[in-house]
Amino acid sequence: MTARPDLAGVAQRNRGPAVPSRPSRAGAVASWADDRLGLAKLPRLMSLRKVFPDHWSFMLGEVALWSFVVLLITGVFLTLWFDPSMAEVAYQGSYDPLRGVDMSAAYASTLDISFDVRGGLLMRQMHHWAAHVFIAAMMIHLLRHALTGSFRKPREVNWVIGTMLLLFGTLNGFLGYSLPDDLLSGTGLRAFDGFLKATPVVGTYLSFLVFGGEFPGDQIIPRFYVFHVLLIPGLLLALVALHLILVVYHKHTQWPGPGRTEQNVVGAPFWPVYTAKAGGFFLVVFGLIALMGGLFSINSVWKFGPYDPSKVTAGSQPDWYMGWPDGLLRIIPPLETHAWGVTISWNVVIPILVAPPTLLLVVMLLPFIEARITGDKREHHLLQRPRDVPHRTALMAALVTFYGLAWMAGGNDIIAIKMHLSINQVTYALRVLIFVGPVLAFMITKRWCISLQRHDRDRLLHGRETGVIRRSPDGGYNEKHLPLSPERAYALSVAMRGELGEAQVETRAHADERS
């Protein structure tokens, strides 16, 4: 026989109300990650009927994706012909001005690709243009997400992934244009060596570790080649795949409109509509990059000659996405500290070793900073117009202004020459503008956004102007207004419902329609 349980004891123990136990720290972290990464629901994501909304601004991410595909295709071609060696050879190719000149095997193979491999120059230039388009599209894509608030919960992790894609894409671009070992890229490597050596305490050790000895050594091109074609592309592929998986899991954001809520998506299915559009858009991006590669010369390395540590290319400029740290380096005053036998060059540390990581960290943490300031912990799937969030839009305008002025400073010598100005005047002006410009941009953008909100409120409450003047029986004059379309009125009212209230908006709109 089985023992009978003590029912009185059980009832006594269960007399109190049930209190949910607090989840463990590991459980809380797992729940937070599952809310944003959707690992538990991953098997249900792969549906050909997944709905994607349609808007022109969404194509920016596709431009970045397809240009990355072009980079992979052209990069595979170039890998077959490029020799990543710094061994000294005498060039015997078809480019007469350099025939017989001693150079590295890397530079000689770059010349061979450009002049002796069928289609090689086209592939080189397509690869370089695709890199520019890839980085530019990622920058504008991130800016679009920041201005429309699509980085809010649950997309914070995807925003961080996007910033990491921009970081690795920029780094791989620097490695890529350093590989030909021409005079221009060698000048960039010399600057890179100086940046490493400016690192306090460990600078010399870092330089020797990276270059395999004293600059320039004979190891840097092979090492950069491994990172450029294997390690960083592998990271980029993994991050792109994770980025797309999270886009599918969280469903695509959409602009407010009739029938669009935080719980649904209005658009076309993945198959066959979105697939056909995406395939056609890939052909457009590929065709435009091929057209640029065939018509517009870029990185003509044969004009610069092989790298010689005793020479510097006059007017040398890095690729545009590396120009803003170079600009900060050019305008910062000469600041140094000498202590305990160590010299700290603040004029290198601040613009190169401090400013870029700080700006990247600020951009990466934007979703978490905004959530902390606003206290908004809700999920958001509807986008916001930039004017409806003045402070965020003004902050982005300030960051873009800072970036633009620093980028402009990277060409202070070219600006001085072309505009017949003193380079000192240009430098002093940029030193002031780099601090004043972002503040002015913040204030002007904020006031501009508020003015646009007031204009939209007036249009919503009174309708659109027709230019028709009517005279009332008592002799007064007023302009006839027509109501907005339902779609336009809905879009304008989304941001104002919390301020005016839906009943007041509808009452005022009907009153204007009757008049």
Side-chain angles (χ1 to χ4, degrees), residues 95-334:
Y95 186 64
D96 287 339
L98 292 177
R99 186 173 296 163
V101 175
D102 292 334
M103 59 185 65
S104 66
Y107 185 58
S109 65
T110 304
L111 294 177
D112 290 337
I113 292 173
S114 302
F115 296 108
D116 298 311
V117 175
R118 189 180 298 274
L121 181 58
L122 175 63
M123 288 294 132
R124 269 197 64 236
Q125 298 200 145
M126 283 184 63
H127 191 72
H128 208 126
W129 279 119
H132 285 298
V133 173
F134 177 55
I135 297 174
M138 283 195 294
M139 285 186 176
I140 303 175
H141 184 56
L142 281 171
L143 184 61
R144 197 275 295 179
H145 279 284
L147 291 175
T148 58
S150 60
F151 56 45
R152 296 173 295 171
K153 183 183 177 181
R155 296 175 179 84
E156 307 99 324
V157 174
N158 224 7
W159 170 266
V160 174
I161 292 174
T163 56
M164 296 302 295
L165 282 170
L166 179 59
L167 171 64
F168 287 123
T170 303
L171 178 60
N172 213 30
F174 168 74
L175 299 179
Y177 74 68
S178 300
L179 290 180
D181 200 29
D182 60 288
L183 185 56
L184 181 60
S185 65
T187 303
L189 285 177
R190 165 58 82 183
F192 176 65
D193 176 59
F195 302 154
L196 290 177
K197 289 178 177 176
T199 307
V201 182
V202 297
T204 304
Y205 302 99
L206 284 177
S207 176
F208 272 64
L209 177 64
V210 172
F211 287 91
E214 189 64 56
F215 176 86
D218 57 1
Q219 298 295 321
I220 190 63
I221 298 300
R223 291 180 177 183
F224 274 17
Y225 182 75
V226 172
F227 278 89
H228 181 71
V229 304
L230 182 62
L231 298 180
I232 296 184
L235 287 173
L236 289 173
L237 278 172
L239 290 174
V240 167
L242 181 58
H243 185 76
L244 295 178
I245 289 174
L246 291 180
V247 168
V248 173
Y249 167 68
H250 292 307
K251 66 178 180 287
H252 207 294
T253 54
Q254 59 186 347
W255 291 98
R260 300 174 184 175
T261 67
E262 298 281 9
Q263 287 75 38
N264 69 350
V265 179
V266 178
F270 176 77
W271 178 268
V273 179
Y274 184 78
T275 308
K277 287 184 177 181
F281 196 58
F282 165 70
L283 296 178
V284 171
V285 173
F286 185 92
L288 288 177
I289 293 177
L291 192 65
M292 295 167 66
L295 297 179
F296 305 114
S297 178
I298 186 171
N299 198 25
S300 305
V301 294
W302 55 89
K303 295 181 180 180
F304 310 130
Y307 178 62
D308 185 344
S310 65
K311 300 176 182 178
V312 175
T313 304
S316 60
Q317 306 284 333
D319 274 5
W320 66 270
Y321 46 84
M322 300 295 294
W324 72 276
D326 183 57
L328 295 177
L329 182 68
R330 294 187 182 205
I331 64 175
I332 191 170

Side-chain angles (χ1 to χ4, degrees), residues 2-25:
T2 59
R4 185 176 180 181
D6 186 1
L7 298 181
V10 172
Q12 180 68 25
R13 289 194 300 269
N14 294 339
R15 181 174 300 173
V19 179
S21 60
R22 185 176 181 179
S24 64
R25 185 177 298 273

Side-chain angles (χ1 to χ4, degrees), residues 259-484:
R260 300 174 184 175
T261 67
E262 298 281 9
Q263 287 75 38
N264 69 350
V265 179
V266 178
F270 176 77
W271 178 268
V273 179
Y274 184 78
T275 308
K277 287 184 177 181
F281 196 58
F282 165 70
L283 296 178
V284 171
V285 173
F286 185 92
L288 288 177
I289 293 177
L291 192 65
M292 295 167 66
L295 297 179
F296 305 114
S297 178
I298 186 171
N299 198 25
S300 305
V301 294
W302 55 89
K303 295 181 180 180
F304 310 130
Y307 178 62
D308 185 344
S310 65
K311 300 176 182 178
V312 175
T313 304
S316 60
Q317 306 284 333
D319 274 5
W320 66 270
Y321 46 84
M322 300 295 294
W324 72 276
D326 183 57
L328 295 177
L329 182 68
R330 294 187 182 205
I331 64 175
I332 191 170
L335 303 174
E336 291 184 350
T337 299
H338 305 276
W340 300 289
V342 176
T343 299
I344 300 178
S345 301
W346 297 108
N347 54 329
V348 179
V349 171
I350 294 176
I352 301 299
L353 304 180
V354 175
T358 301
L359 184 60
L360 177 68
L361 186 62
V362 169
V363 173
M364 187 180 296
L365 296 179
L366 274 176
F368 308 98
I369 296 174
E370 178 174 305
R372 182 64 180 269
I373 293 175
T374 62
D376 187 0
K377 306 298 183 181
R378 300 169 298 170
E379 288 195 8
H380 295 279
H381 303 286
L382 292 178
L383 299 175
Q384 298 171 304
R385 295 186 307 166
R387 68 184 64 179
D388 296 329
V389 193
H391 288 89
R392 182 205 298 152
T393 305
L395 175 62
M396 296 311 301
L399 292 176
V400 170
T401 302
F402 176 84
Y403 177 89
L405 290 171
W407 184 77
M408 183 187 300
N412 60 345
D413 53 344
I414 306 298
I415 294 173
I417 292 172
K418 296 299 182 181
M419 301 187 68
H420 306 287
L421 298 173
S422 167
I423 191 172
N424 292 329
Q425 294 174 347
V426 175
T427 302
Y428 295 150
L430 288 170
R431 284 178 181 176
V432 176
L433 288 175
I434 202 71
F435 292 101
V436 177
V439 176
L440 291 177
F442 183 92
M443 294 189 296
I444 293 173
T445 304
K446 179 183 174 182
R447 298 309 307 173
W448 196 348
C449 291
I450 294 174
S451 297
L452 289 174
Q453 286 183 20
R454 291 172 179 171
H455 174 70
D456 289 342
R457 184 184 300 112
D458 184 71
R459 290 183 61 198
L460 180 63
L461 297 179
H462 303 290
R464 61 181 180 88
E465 299 177 354
T466 62
V468 178
I469 305 299
R470 298 183 300 185
R471 182 178 180 182
S472 62
D474 57 358
Y477 292 90
N478 62 350
E479 183 179 10
K480 181 180 179 181
H481 289 70
L482 292 180
L484 302 176

